């Protein structure tokens, strides 16, 4: 499956903005003032272009093939 990555930054005050801007191929969305978790998620979802959206927190650890497995559960069975 193909996917887009939207990185949402809710006014980080550390090195986060500089690091996230270096992630190639990702869309970086930054709030200059803290707007809260929900508004930041809504902004990221609005920027997404795919048919499905997965929201991950910054401390999420994913396993190999996790995204394909997740999307596969939403698709109809192959005939």
């Amino acid at each position: 499956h193909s996917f887009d990555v939207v990185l949402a930054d809710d006014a980080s005050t550390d090195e986060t903005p500089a690091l996230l801007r270096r992630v190639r191929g990702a869309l970086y969305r930054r709030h200059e003032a803290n707007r809260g978790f929900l508004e930041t998620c809504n902004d990221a979802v609005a920027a997404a272009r795919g048919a499905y959206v997965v929201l991950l927190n910054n401390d999420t650890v994913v396993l190999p093939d996790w995204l394909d497995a997740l999307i596969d559960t939403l698709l109809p069975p192959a005939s």
Side-chain angles (χ1 to χ4, degrees), residues 56-64 66:
L56 300 176
N57 226 343
N58 62 336
D59 59 352
T60 302
V61 176
V62 297
L63 300 174
W66 71 275

Side-chain angles (χ1 to χ4, degrees), residues 4-56:
D4 297 318
V5 175
V6 180
L7 302 171
D9 179 0
D10 198 21
S12 294
T13 58
D14 57 9
E15 308 84 34
T16 299
L19 293 171
L20 293 183
R21 283 188 186 99
R22 294 178 20 202
V23 178
R24 291 186 184 161
L27 176 59
Y28 177 57
R29 308 280 296 183
R30 176 172 168 72
H31 293 163
E32 294 301 324
N34 189 307
R35 292 156 114 182
F37 180 75
L38 212 52
E39 193 166 332
T40 300
C41 288
N42 286 339
D43 184 54
V45 169
R49 298 178 303 242
Y52 306 102
V53 174
V54 178
L55 299 172
L56 300 176

